[in-house]
Amino acid sequence: MALQQNRELEEFADEVARGLAIHNKTLNSKYLYDKVGSQLFEQICIQPEYYLTRTETSILNKHAHVIAKLTGTNISIIELGSGSSSKTTILLSHLASQKKRIFYFPIDVSKSILTDSARRLESQFPNINIIGIPSSYNIGFERAAKRIACDDKISDRKLVVFLGSSIGNFELAHARHLLETLRERLDTNDFLLVGFDLQKEVSVLNAAYNDKAGMTARFNLNLLGRINRELGSKFDLGKFAHCAFYNEDKQRIEMHLVSKAEQEVYVGALDTVFAFRKGETIHTENSYKYNLDQIAMLAEESGFAINRNFTDKKKWFDLAFFSPA
Ligand code: AVJ
């Protein structure tokens, strides 16, 4: 475990070294989710402006029984980026069966949130075996799939869930690649449930990433806090500003940290000083917004067929239920 932690820290250090050295500074959004970041994200999810979680939850509340009917209860569930698992709980309550013990593999990069939610789920669902995997998507999926293949007590039929519009973090080509990779590892009887945030009025999008309580700003700035804590730097969080806006050309929300002044920051673990011009930004996240045609195209290009689209009345969010084509 210690070795793995060292490797993760080294990878983080490498990415910070590379991301801050270049002209258009950038950091991978997956690093937003350390313990503090995951807690702040949970706070974002309950802000009035952040419609995503509320909307996806309402879709699940309305349609989880249909999804359970489509998959049947003889199923193993693998979740990419499970976080607090609160939305998946709705689905699990429809899948938990008296007759057969089912298995749920939540995968998340934040170990603390994984441990907390596994404990909660274990007491809530005595018939479900919870096997949390603290990992990134690919490695985590491999580990879950291997366990399912090796153990006779675990149903081979899989439901992969990827909720919350996390797929929106990826460039289109990367999203396609991720789905293709999943498709290669799934059998024709398996299923994939993906949450997509849909295109909508720009003011609604901008408000969702600029909540009045300032949770998204704290979430974004925490990335610098994490670098301070883990890589021994002295970023002054007061000298950077949160900036998020919808880029209409690219159909994505962009999140940046803007340097409020010309400044230099020393990062101990890298023994490097990084210089920032006033107004220079670090690009910390993209959140792509889809329409139903683009989702259909993405499914087809990656070897899936859309079984059903579950959307809300306003068509703000889509839960797409895919089967291998
Ligand atoms: C967890 C990636 C879906 O893009 O809406 C929320 C992350 N960033 N507010 C999103 C996020 C700023 C969120 N995802």
Side-chain angles (χ1 to χ4, degrees):
M1 219 55 208
L3 271 176
Q4 191 191 329
Q5 268 163 19
N6 278 339
R7 211 177 320 124
E8 278 164 15
L9 193 62
E10 231 163 77
E11 189 191 291
F12 183 40
D14 282 351
E15 292 213 24
V16 170
R18 252 183 294 132
L20 297 187
I22 55 180
H23 188 66
N24 290 314
K25 293 182 168 52
T26 177
L27 292 170
N28 189 318
S29 60
K30 74 178 178 191
Y31 295 116
L32 292 163
Y33 301 90
D34 66 342
K35 184 174 180 174
V36 180
S38 293
Q39 283 165 354
L40 287 168
F41 180 65
E42 291 300 310
Q43 291 303 309
I44 290 175
C45 290
I46 56 175
Q47 295 310 307
E49 298 92 342
Y50 196 73
Y51 60 85
L52 288 85
T53 314
R54 246 185 301 124
T55 309
E56 191 178 33
T57 301
S58 75
I59 295 170
L60 274 168
N61 276 324
K62 195 160 172 194
H63 298 290
H65 73 283
V66 182
I67 295 167
K69 210 168 257 164
L70 288 166
T71 64
T73 52
N74 186 22
I75 193 102
S76 297
I77 302 121
I78 302 176
E79 178 163 20
L80 308 179
S82 50
S84 66
S85 292
S86 54
K87 286 166 296 189
T88 317
T89 303
I90 302 165
L91 196 56
L92 291 177
S93 66
H94 288 268
L95 292 172
S97 109
Q98 252 76 57
K99 284 181 235 114
K100 196 173 185 302
R101 184 156 276 282
I102 67 171
F103 286 75
Y104 170 48
F105 298 85
I107 300 167
D108 204 278
V109 283
S110 174
K111 198 174 175 180
S112 57
I113 201 161
L114 197 62
T115 315
D116 289 352
S117 55
R119 196 168 301 133
R120 177 181 62 77
L121 290 166
E122 261 158 16
S123 61
Q124 193 174 348
F125 299 108
N127 289 323
I128 301 183
N129 272 34
I130 320 287
I131 303 176
I133 302 177
S135 169
S136 55
Y137 300 149
N138 273 322
I139 297 167
F141 182 89
E142 284 290 342
R143 280 173 56 188
K146 206 172 263 170
R147 180 75 198 274
I148 291 169
C150 290
D151 193 329
D152 289 344
K153 292 185 291 297
I154 307 180
S155 170
D156 281 329
R157 194 169 204 188
K158 295 182 276 297
L159 166 64
V160 178
V161 293
F162 192 28
L163 300 181
S165 160
S166 294
I167 195 164
N169 278 160
F170 297 92
E171 310 276 325
L172 183 60
H174 285 169
R176 204 184 288 127
H177 183 251
L178 178 85
L179 294 187
E180 277 168 3
T181 305
L182 277 175
R183 172 62 192 91
E184 280 165 21
R185 295 167 182 171
L186 293 179
D187 297 314
T188 45
N189 286 328
D190 296 337
F191 304 100
L192 172 63
L193 185 67
V194 191
F196 290 90
D197 195 16
L198 297 177
Q199 288 158 13
K200 59 183 66 63
E201 212 180 300
V202 174
S203 61
V204 176
L205 291 169
N206 282 329
Y209 293 83
N210 291 282
D211 63 286
K212 286 218 177 72
M215 285 302 165
T216 311
R218 284 175 62 186
F219 173 69
N220 195 8
L221 285 160
N222 172 60
L223 188 47
L224 300 178
R226 180 179 186 174
I227 298 173
N228 285 347
R229 290 188 292 275
E230 296 187 14
L231 302 178
S233 56
K234 289 208 174 68
F235 277 100
D236 177 350
L237 274 54
K239 283 193 179 162
F240 286 85
H242 164 72
C243 171
F245 57 90
Y246 190 61
N247 181 331
E248 294 198 49
D249 282 344
K250 298 193 167 158
Q251 303 181 323
R252 69 189 192 195
I253 288 278
E254 291 183 14
M255 196 162 81
H256 298 261
L257 289 162
V258 188
S259 177
K260 292 188 197 170
E262 186 175 322
Q263 55 182 315
E264 291 188 339
V265 181
Y266 176 71
V267 180
L270 303 171
D271 195 23
T272 305
V273 174
F274 296 99
F276 296 86
R277 286 172 278 114
K278 185 177 177 180
E280 185 172 6
T281 83
I282 309 170
H283 191 166
T284 51
E285 188 177 47
N286 288 318
S287 192
Y288 281 86
K289 308 305 173 188
Y290 283 79
N291 64 42
L292 291 175
D293 288 339
Q294 292 167 336
I295 295 168
M297 187 91 90
L298 179 61
E300 194 189 309
E301 288 170 346
S302 50
F304 287 97
I306 300 189
N307 218 308
R308 286 283 297 267
N309 279 308
F310 299 100
T311 60
D312 57 298
K313 268 211 200 84
K314 292 183 188 158
K315 291 239 170 15
W316 276 10
F317 200 92
D318 179 42
L319 254 190
F321 189 76
F322 293 173
S323 294

